Amino acid sequence: MTTLTPQKPATAKQAGGVPAPAAAPRNDGWHRLIDAVRESGQYATRSQAESVTRVVLSALGGHVVGDERVDLARALPEEAARAVASQIPVTRELTAAEFVDSVAARIEGATPATARWDVSSVLSVLPALVGDALITRVLAQLPPGYALLFGRAELSPA
């Protein structure tokens, strides 16, 4: 009778004998997004960054429609895409200040100042994640004033 001994699975090696990185877990993009928001907003915990990210993306999801909404959802990690795509489109556009106030209303204890910080902490990391071209298209749908929330200067036509 032969006894089989379990062995460690072989790991692929890169040049130089260094093990290759393991395949990224399915939610790795979500974790990278949350880490970026946590760093951007200097949140004390991952849980705070995650909560703020969900609220801000949900609020944004109601304001982005059409192809831009579809493309944004496709470019985001699955968890973030659900937060955007699950929202019913709003019936009235909000100014950037009203958008921030709407986020403040969704976060317990938030003020307009802390909500602006939260919104900017989330939206300013999106260009690196989804690309500047898509953010430009999203901003074209939104009223003036949103560019600053995405970490961009907003120039007025002369």
Side-chain angles (χ1 to χ4, degrees):
M1 176 185 227
T2 306
T3 305
L4 298 176
T5 306
Q7 297 180 352
K8 288 172 125 178
T11 55
K13 300 240 182 196
Q14 294 176 332
V18 178
R26 185 179 168 118
N27 62 357
D28 188 50
W30 173 251
H31 291 298
R32 284 194 316 270
L33 171 60
I34 298 306
D35 289 343
V37 169
R38 184 175 179 190
E39 183 177 324
S40 173
Q42 300 176 348
Y43 296 102
T45 66
R46 172 181 273 275
S47 177
Q48 285 176 303
E50 190 168 341
S51 176
V52 165
T53 301
R54 287 181 199 282
V55 169
V56 172
L57 291 178
S58 292
L60 181 65
H63 294 276
V64 179
V65 296
D67 290 341
E68 285 71 22
R69 180 182 172 129
V70 170
D71 292 346
L72 182 61
R74 283 185 183 150
L76 289 169
E78 184 178 336
E79 188 97 11
R82 278 196 303 263
V84 169
S86 66
Q87 301 307 304
I88 297 170
V90 297
T91 57
R92 181 179 80 80
E93 285 186 340
L94 299 179
T95 66
E98 290 171 330
F99 179 79
V100 169
D101 289 343
S102 77
V103 169
R106 297 177 185 203
I107 299 174
E108 186 177 333
T111 66
T114 61
R116 186 179 192 301
W117 179 269
D118 293 336
V119 169
S120 293
S121 296
V122 174
L123 299 184
S124 68
V125 303
L126 293 185
L129 183 67
V130 304
D132 284 328
L134 179 53
I135 296 302
T136 298
R137 290 175 39 216
V138 167
L139 286 170
Q141 272 195 0
L142 299 170
Y146 278 79
L148 290 173
L149 299 174
F150 283 85
R152 288 187 172 182
E154 186 163 34
L155 304 176
S156 300

